[in-house]
Amino acid sequence: MTELDPTARTAPHDGPADPRTEAFQGVREARRNELAEDYVELIAELIHEQGEARPVDIAARLGVKVPTVSKTLDRLARDGLITRAKYRSVFLTDTGRALAKECRRRHEIVLRFLISLGLDPETAERDAEGIEHHVSERTLALFAAFANRS
Amino acid sequence: MTELDPTARTAPHDGPADPRTEAFQGVREARRNELAEDYVELIAELIHEQGEARPVDIAARLGVKVPTVSKTLDRLARDGLITRAKYRSVFLTDTGRALAKECRRRHEIVLRFLISLGLDPETAERDAEGIEHHVSERTLALFAAFANRS
DNA sequence: GCAGATTGTTAGCACTGTCTAACTTTATGC
DNA sequence: GCATAAAGTTAGACAGTGCTAACAATCTGC
């Protein structure tokens, strides 16, 4: 019954064998990172726009309460994406900055793609926010090509 | 500071005023329903393919353990999407069936769209699984039009 | 340079979603 | 029709993500 049982289904791979199962596992994996990605992307943006990223601004942008942000920032710090000192604003580590850049890139491509498809910018922004965490590199390349072509 | 403060930002709406904040809130809302949608869609599929939806099959498809499924099914039952009896397989309520149908529709459109964009079917399946919960009706219409046109 | 406003932290609660371990029920194969 | 295998449930742990309430630190405007 375990997913390592080589007699399961038809294929003798390691792993789930069913591509649908792989898809679900991939999605669950992606979902775990979504929030962290939203945070680092937003932190980079705030630093760029306002010179610093304060919990109160992060909370306002995300639409959550400040204590929620505080707790999440602790986790991001623990995971090496940001550094922070008590009662001070937040900084990205190199890792965090790299992730933010990557997220911004994906976000831009998805957004441009949706707009070039004919979507209004507001809906495009909302959809891009949800979609960007779930597009493979391959899809991203197709999106970018489409947006450039049209 | 609260999101109901009419002096916040520039617009005197109720709600967040910043479209980016709305986007984040919408995404969080969508994320809350994703798992339920995955479940009902899968349950409908299993019933169609095999005549019944058993926890063990749901678990195998999703790539999680049976007790996880059991607990989630309790929640779906509590929320009126399925009915179940102890040690028996699972049935969709009318509400659950409607949701499943809606999910399947979205999934199909996204999948067809990605494939018609030029993506290989396996990647398309994986990406569709992640994307389908985050596309607005408006985007879906554009996807469908594109897939039909090409 | 102090009072009051703003911002940030901590503690504690609730719920989700995952797991393992132990148990019960149902199904299967002689 | 009974023993064993398979499936399902329950209990309990743990991390994540949200909240409120209470407290602490910092900032601001006289």
Side-chain angles (χ1 to χ4, degrees), chain A residues 53-55 70 73-74 77 82-91:
Chain A
R54 299 149 76 220
S70 198
L73 291 177
D74 284 342
I82 65 169
T83 58
R84 63 194 306 237
K86 266 193 168 188
Y87 298 101
R88 293 271 100 98
S89 61
V90 178
F91 300 91

Side-chain angles (χ1 to χ4, degrees), chain A residues 1 32 35 63-65 67-68 71 75 78 87-88:
Chain A
M1 246 112 308
R32 261 206 308 284
L35 199 69
V64 299
K65 302 301 178 195
T68 300
K71 202 187 279 193
R75 215 161 30 78
R78 184 202 62 192
Y87 298 101
R88 293 271 100 98

Side-chain angles (χ1 to χ4, degrees), chain B residues 89-104:
Chain B
S89 61
V90 177
F91 300 91
L92 293 170
T93 61
D94 288 351
T95 307
R97 205 160 15 244
L99 181 58
K101 194 175 167 187
E102 169 58 20
C103 290
R104 171 154 196 77

Side-chain angles (χ1 to χ4, degrees), chain B residues 1 32 35 63-65 67-68 71 75 78 87-88:
Chain B
M1 249 110 305
R32 261 205 307 285
L35 199 70
V64 300
K65 302 301 179 197
T68 300
K71 199 186 280 193
R75 220 159 24 80
R78 184 202 62 191
Y87 299 102
R88 293 270 100 98

Side-chain angles (χ1 to χ4, degrees), chain A residues 89-106:
Chain A
S89 61
V90 178
F91 300 91
L92 293 171
T93 61
D94 288 350
T95 307
R97 205 161 13 244
L99 181 58
K101 194 175 168 188
E102 169 59 19
C103 289
R104 171 154 196 79
R105 177 183 149 262
R106 285 208 306 260

Side-chain angles (χ1 to χ4, degrees), chain B residues 3 5 8-22 25:
Chain B
E3 55 213 341
D5 180 1
R9 306 281 169 201
T10 52
H13 307 138
D14 53 345
D18 180 350
R20 220 93 107 285
T21 301
E22 265 175 55
Q25 291 181 332

